[in-house]
Every structure is written in structure tokens, then in C-alpha cells.
Amino acid sequence: MMNESVNLYAFIGEKLSVIEFDPNENNERMEIDSITGDTLIFKNWVMDNGFKCKYKVLRNVYNELETDTVEFEAYDHYGRPAFENYENAILYLSYSEEEKNTITRNTYLTQ
């Protein structure tokens, strides 16, 4: 099924790697206040655990990923993502234009 107007990709994937990373590393942005000339420091804090995931695309389900492997970031508030416990999973991804990366939208497990 294809609908290029929807920023969603669903596929059946085979796990290649799931590696935890610190989403709060390099989370600081500096700006100079245009009126006072003061240096302003902005920090964003992510309350989830971050994971860099790599999966082999076994079959496209919705829209088509035009690659045989996909790398994406997953965030989990309760620890590790449950889909990493399975060799194969149905994964739903969206592409973030702002961040220039692919993130999980939702995941459904297969056994």
C-alpha cells in the first residue's frame, strides 16, 4: 500500500542492532541576546532512554522504504524498547525533516 502524502512507513524488520545512547548528550544551544548582548544557554532534557536501531527490511507493509536496511532512533520512557526482544517486528517509522532522522512512531511485536 502506498500513500506518499502520509509521513509513515511500516515494515517487517529483522533486528541487526539496538544500541543505547544518552539523548541528553550535546543538548546545549547558545545564543547571544540581540538587545543585551548576554550569552543565553538553552538546554533540552529528554526523559526517555534513547536507542540507535538498525533493522533489515524484510517486507514493506505501508509506503516503501527504498533500502534493504534502515537506521532509526527509538525512545522508551520505561527502559528498553520491547521490540528488541524479538528477531522480527512490525515497525512504524516517520521521517523528521527538522531533525533529519527517522524515528519510531509505534511498534508492534511479532512472535
Side-chain angles (χ1 to χ4, degrees), residues 3-111:
N3 185 346
E4 292 181 6
S5 67
V6 178
N7 183 12
L8 180 66
Y9 301 88
F11 70 99
I12 299 170
E14 177 184 328
K15 178 177 63 177
L16 299 176
S17 64
V18 177
I19 301 168
E20 189 169 6
F21 71 96
D22 181 358
N24 292 308
E25 191 173 311
N26 302 319
N27 69 340
E28 200 169 273
R29 178 175 53 94
M30 246 187 338
E31 288 184 19
I32 304 298
D33 187 288
S34 61
I35 297 171
T36 66
D38 291 339
T39 301
L40 306 173
I41 298 174
F42 298 92
K43 291 184 178 186
N44 294 321
W45 292 100
V46 177
M47 301 298 287
D48 295 332
N49 297 317
F51 300 87
K52 297 220 182 260
C53 306
K54 187 173 183 179
Y55 274 74
K56 179 178 178 182
V57 177
L58 298 177
R59 181 175 178 187
N60 287 296
V61 176
Y62 186 81
N63 282 337
E64 190 160 329
L65 292 165
E66 296 176 358
T67 180
D68 61 345
T69 59
V70 64
E71 295 183 40
F72 59 92
E73 293 178 3
Y75 297 88
D76 196 299
H77 195 64
Y78 301 104
R80 300 193 66 89
F83 62 82
E84 86 166 322
N85 295 323
Y86 302 91
E87 285 305 307
N88 298 316
I90 299 174
L91 299 163
Y92 292 77
L93 306 178
S94 289
Y95 183 76
S96 170
E97 283 293 332
E98 182 180 320
E99 300 293 326
K100 298 294 183 209
N101 66 3
T102 308
I103 57 172
T104 55
R105 298 294 291 181
N106 244 331
T107 53
Y108 295 89
L109 307 176
T110 60
Q111 295 187 26

